[in-house]
Amino acid sequence: MSDEYPAAPTSRAASSASIPPSGALSVGLLAEAERSLLAGNLVMAAWLCEEIRQVEPDSPGALHLLGLIAEREGRLCDASRLFRQALASEPGFGAAWLSLASLHRSSGNREAALLCCRSVLLIDPADRDGWYNLGNVLLDDGCAFAAAESYGRALRIDRRHDPAWHNLGIALHLAGRSDSALTALGNSAAYRPDNPSTFHQIAVVRFRAGDLGGALRAVERQARLDPARLDSSLIRLLAIALRDAGRTGDAIPITALAVAHRPEDVDLRHCLGMLHLAVRDLTAADAVFRTTLCHGPADPFALNSYGVMLSGMGRPREGARLVRRSLLLQPGNAEIHSNLLLTLQYDGTLGPADLNRLHAEWYRRHAPSGTPPAHPEAVPDPERRLRVGYVSADFGQHPVGFFLGGVVLHHDRDSFEVHCYSARRQGDAMTDRFRRLADHWHEIADIDGAELADRIRGDGIDILVDLSGHTANNRLRAFVHRPAPIQATWAGYVGTTGIPAIDYLISDPRQTPDGVDPHYAERIMRLPDCYVCYEPPPYAPPVGPLPALGSGVVTFGCFNNLAKLDEASIALWSTLLRDRPDRRLMLQTFALDVPGVRDAVAARFAAYGVAPGQLDLRRASGHAGLLQSYNSVDIALDPLAYSGGLTTLEALWMGVPVITLPGERFCTRHSLSHLTAAGLPGLVAEDASGYLARAEGLAADLGRLADLRGRLRDRMAASPLCDSAHFTRTLEAAFRRMWRDRCLSGRID
């Protein structure tokens, strides 16, 4: 039988109709003993059996019941002896054979169990329970087809035997006949609609067949009957699958119900927290993760998830502390290690050398031993058509999607064959566009590491491009196996990956100026104009008039992730606001949905003398709504510890100038690169006083600011930032240089 939810076994207590003939008094006592046994009164049942044996010492019925009592009490040797005594007294006693079969089966002696079942069927080929129990033993042995045949024989004798229908469904499912399994399980449910085990099994079959809706309905039916028996593993798998299918809202109630009945199940609680996080209900996620860590303070996965969440809520140092604890508990987990590296990027106290050292540790821990297999390309040809593979979980509405869309569209197909390896689980309209534009589309959501590397190597990729770095769902564990002769990282991360097997980091002279190369494991390939190209969404609203002209209040704004909002930025921005009622600051990001987060942000500014009324802390909105919010902003302020990337490009597209102060680290120089490429170097400050001077200068001359706002979109559209055809040519030239260098070196393998 299934080890998940076996059907209730057929009662093996002998009824008065099934025992061998005996005296009328013995038959009456035996019937009373059986009723006592079924009621759980083992003492009375045993006393009555002994009374029978006073008159009939070898009574097979009494010996059989005494064996069942011994089995209930865990005296298995006594039970076996008593069953054998009953059979010695009456060799044709089928119930005793089945009881002995069950005892052998529970002890793992399946050969003996099979012999007992076959003995029953030799005595009576029409014994329903004999065929049913034979099916159970065969199913234990993995003989699904033979078990299904036995259950079918039992059902030909008694069509209403719901346990046989139930187990027939299990056997057919194991035999790969899902449709027939569902029919059998449906019959089981029809004859016994109050059996939660059957609905669990229906859920298992439908889930494994990819019918998430049917699986959810079956689990919900089971929950109405017996929520305490919900299977944690199935609930987690179903919840994750529903989340990946964009149906997180359907997954939350059933997962919460399972948690309520299994409060000690840390994995289940963690799953519920991740579901709330997926729908950006941070208040609920925070509460669930806190409770999870109360039950499992050393659970590495809960620590990791909560740490990443705290970072996004503007508490990156707390987040890094939890993720670091998680990594101590799971030192070989590359994903947790990547999460720690990403979280540490928000720590402004770490310099480029520190980050290089920390990233090198990732490679030391997670790189494979041995030499990677050779690549099929053996003859160097510097000018041939190249296969370029892009690897990402972000082929969709994501910063990488906005950077890559124009490139895939404009690639010269005479010179380049484009492969997209997508680890994205939930697609959108932009994902569909990438799928149409790529020459070859590969779904890799379920593979990574050596398996993915072998697949890429088999596709004959010449240049493999990582678009994730150490961000979520990366495939760096495949890159360390070097599946392509040339490997590069670009656009999706903020500096070195720390992986020597990745040959190049694609950048530009502003993002990575001369002299920083020793801080990178990769060789830096600098593009001439900018290191990314922006493809604005077609739904971006028109640029509105300068808000300050109508309100008389200058509104500064920042729509970056709160993790970037370091103390130095708050102190600097507060200088622009303090004692200036005609100025305000608008912040908008998903974490501001949480009242406690909004209060914490307001308190941080209040510590620098900023009045609460000067802050406009906006909840998250859809992407189009976020872009529309820029029509309420006059001047954007770039954080110091971690510069805006796509956020800066969106602000510029919406006519909002961005003031930036670049630092030494890669993550502090995005806006420098974008503003320079847009022909706006005057918005780049050299120090904090220059930052304030530029912001004050724009705020003091609203006419000049309005004129800049009106021209900014056209200016940006005409710049290299939005010329995806030109950008793609520069990127292709870089790819060709990489390939020629490799050919000249004679190293293609």
Side-chain angles (χ1 to χ4, degrees):
M1 293 174 68
S2 165
D3 61 358
E4 295 168 319
Y5 270 96
T10 303
S11 170
R12 290 183 276 113
S15 69
S16 58
S18 65
I19 62 173
S22 186
L25 178 61
S26 294
V27 169
L29 289 175
L30 194 61
E32 185 61 33
E34 181 181 348
R35 284 192 289 272
S36 296
L37 175 62
L38 293 175
N41 190 343
L42 304 186
V43 174
M44 177 60 72
W47 182 80
L48 289 168
C49 288
E50 293 299 341
E51 286 293 303
I52 295 169
R53 294 189 68 202
Q54 290 293 324
V55 178
E56 188 181 348
D58 294 326
S59 166
L63 289 166
H64 178 232
L65 283 180
L66 286 170
L68 292 176
I69 292 167
E71 186 180 7
R72 291 264 190 102
E73 293 176 341
R75 297 182 288 110
L76 302 185
C77 290
D78 289 342
S80 178
R81 175 179 54 79
L82 288 162
F83 293 149
R84 293 176 188 279
Q85 282 183 261
L87 289 168
S89 177
E90 179 52 61
F93 191 5
W97 280 113
L98 291 179
S99 293
L100 189 58
S102 177
L103 198 64
H104 285 311
R105 181 177 166 227
S106 63
S107 65
N109 189 349
R110 294 189 181 120
E111 288 187 7
L114 279 172
L115 286 173
C116 290
C117 291
R118 296 192 188 282
S119 296
V120 173
L121 295 171
L122 285 172
I123 296 166
D124 182 4
D127 189 309
R128 180 202 69 182
D129 292 341
W131 287 110
Y132 171 72
N133 281 277
L134 177 61
N136 292 343
V137 178
L138 290 168
L139 197 58
D140 288 343
D141 269 344
C143 303
F145 287 101
E149 174 62 25
S150 292
Y151 295 133
R153 294 288 293 270
L155 289 165
R156 284 197 287 274
I157 297 165
D158 179 4
R159 182 171 177 78
R160 301 180 65 84
H161 191 231
D162 66 269
W165 281 118
H166 177 99
N167 287 4
L168 175 61
I170 294 173
L172 290 169
H173 175 52
L174 293 175
R177 297 168 58 189
S178 296
D179 290 342
S180 298
L182 289 171
T183 300
L185 292 165
N187 286 332
S188 177
Y191 290 121
R192 189 183 168 193
D194 62 341
N195 185 4
S197 301
T198 298
F199 292 103
H200 165 82
Q201 197 61 40
I202 290 171
V204 169
V205 176
R206 291 198 178 278
F207 174 75
R208 290 177 180 167
D211 180 5
L212 300 184
L216 179 61
R217 288 191 296 274
V219 167
E220 289 171 340
R221 182 77 178 271
Q222 179 197 357
R224 288 195 292 273
L225 293 168
D226 189 1
R229 291 183 67 189
L230 289 172
D231 182 77
S232 298
S233 297
L234 177 62
I235 295 297
R236 288 197 305 273
L237 290 171
L238 179 58
I240 293 167
L242 287 167
R243 180 199 64 186
D244 292 343
R247 298 178 57 186
T248 306
D250 292 335
I252 288 175
I254 193 67
T255 310
L257 179 63
V259 166
H261 287 274
R262 283 182 167 74
E264 75 292 342
D265 192 321
V266 173
D267 291 339
L268 199 57
R269 284 187 177 277
H270 176 239
C271 178
L272 180 59
M274 295 301 291
L275 293 175
H276 285 301
L277 195 57
V279 295
R280 292 191 168 177
D281 185 349
L282 300 188
T283 301
D286 183 74
V288 171
F289 283 139
R290 284 178 178 275
T291 309
T292 302
L293 290 173
C294 287
H295 286 271
D299 183 79
F301 304 105
L303 286 165
N304 171 66
S305 298
Y306 193 36
V308 171
M309 176 181 158
L310 287 179
S311 180
M313 293 170 70
R315 296 154 63 183
R317 291 192 178 181
E318 288 180 67
R321 188 161 58 248
L322 292 183
V323 179
R324 189 176 278 110
R325 281 174 54 194
S326 172
L327 187 60
L328 287 173
L329 295 164
Q330 287 270 315
N333 190 308
E335 181 180 357
I336 294 174
H337 202 165
S338 285
N339 286 341
L340 176 61
L341 293 175
L342 179 60
T343 305
L344 291 174
Q345 294 283 359
Y346 299 106
D347 186 348
T349 66
L350 296 174
D354 300 315
L355 292 173
N356 188 31
R357 174 179 51 80
L358 291 166
H359 284 72
E361 176 61 25
W362 186 98
Y363 181 75
R364 282 193 292 273
R365 286 197 192 189
H366 310 297
S369 58
T371 303
H375 301 95
E377 173 66 45
V379 180
D381 180 354
E383 306 306 323
R384 72 168 173 83
R385 188 175 188 236
L386 299 177
R387 294 189 182 98
V388 176
Y390 294 105
V391 183
S392 180
D394 303 318
F395 290 109
Q397 191 159 306
H398 181 277
V400 167
F402 289 107
F403 297 153
L404 187 65
V407 171
V408 176
L409 173 65
H410 288 103
H411 258 309
D412 177 4
R413 291 318 203 267
D414 291 334
S415 299
F416 295 90
E417 177 180 299
V418 178
H419 292 247
C420 290
Y421 293 88
S422 175
R424 191 177 185 87
R425 291 191 178 273
Q426 187 176 340
D428 54 29
M430 192 177 288
T431 308
D432 294 338
R433 179 172 180 253
F434 275 115
R435 188 182 288 108
R436 291 192 303 270
L437 291 175
D439 297 315
H440 301 276
W441 180 264
H442 309 272
E443 295 284 356
I444 60 166
D446 295 320
I447 58 174
D448 195 2
E451 181 183 359
L452 176 56
D454 287 342
R455 178 170 171 181
I456 293 169
R457 192 177 291 111
D459 292 334
I461 299 300
D462 300 306
I463 301 176
L464 191 67
V465 184
D466 159 59
L467 293 161
S468 299
H470 290 281
T471 63
N473 300 312
N474 69 71
R475 291 297 184 269
L476 293 179
R477 283 174 290 180
F479 278 80
V480 296
H481 290 274
R482 188 174 275 286
I486 297 174
Q487 301 191 139
T489 183
W490 169 56
Y493 193 50
V494 284
T496 186
T497 62
I499 300 175
I502 295 182
D503 306 288
Y504 294 93
L505 180 141
I506 298 171
S507 182
D508 66 42
R510 273 71 54 187
Q511 193 72 56
T512 48
D514 290 340
V516 302
D517 301 58
H519 301 313
Y520 292 80
E522 309 84 356
R523 176 181 171 187
I524 300 176
M525 176 65 71
R526 295 175 175 87
L527 304 184
D529 302 307
C530 44
Y531 84 106
V532 293
C533 183
Y534 176 53
E535 189 176 47
Y539 51 78
V543 176
L546 188 72
L549 290 177
S551 66
V553 175
V554 173
T555 300
F556 297 100
C558 179
F559 294 178
N560 281 280
N561 183 337
L562 286 184
K564 299 180 182 181
L565 206 60
D566 63 312
E567 207 63 24
S569 296
I570 291 178
L572 191 64
W573 297 351
S574 296
T575 304
L576 295 168
L577 302 171
R578 191 168 42 245
D579 301 325
R580 293 296 303 266
D582 59 339
R583 293 180 179 176
R584 66 173 185 163
L585 174 65
M586 179 192 296
L587 303 179
Q588 183 168 348
T589 188
F590 71 93
L592 292 172
D593 289 355
V594 183
V597 173
R598 293 197 299 272
D599 293 343
V601 171
R604 292 174 72 186
F605 278 95
Y608 291 96
V610 176
Q614 291 181 276
L615 297 177
D616 182 359
L617 306 180
R618 297 198 175 187
R619 294 173 171 83
S621 61
H623 193 223
L626 181 140
L627 294 175
Q628 179 62 42
S629 293
Y630 278 110
N631 279 327
S632 300
V633 175
D634 298 293
I635 304 165
L637 301 175
D638 198 32
L640 304 185
Y642 194 124
S643 177
L646 180 65
T647 310
T648 292
L649 293 167
E650 290 176 341
L652 296 175
W653 188 252
M654 291 304 302
V656 181
V658 181
I659 309 296
T660 190
L661 174 56
E664 293 183 342
R665 297 177 301 143
F666 191 103
C667 67
T668 67
R669 303 178 69 83
H670 299 320
S671 293
L672 165 65
S673 174
H674 301 334
L675 291 168
T676 303
L680 297 166
L683 296 175
V684 179
E686 299 81 19
D687 52 30
S689 61
Y691 189 103
L692 294 174
R694 283 162 175 77
E696 292 284 5
L698 288 174
D701 191 344
L702 297 185
R704 173 186 166 217
L705 186 58
D707 179 66
L708 177 60
R709 186 185 192 90
R711 293 184 292 106
L712 197 48
R713 178 173 289 189
D714 289 341
R715 184 172 188 166
M716 187 176 174
S719 76
L721 277 177
C722 294
D723 188 348
S724 54
H726 169 73
F727 178 84
T728 305
R729 298 290 85 78
T730 66
L731 182 63
E732 289 175 341
F735 288 157
R736 186 60 66 181
R737 286 198 302 275
M738 296 175 191
W739 184 252
R740 286 170 181 158
D741 287 349
R742 180 56 63 95
C743 289
L744 288 172
S745 71
R747 294 173 55 240
I748 299 298
D749 294 333

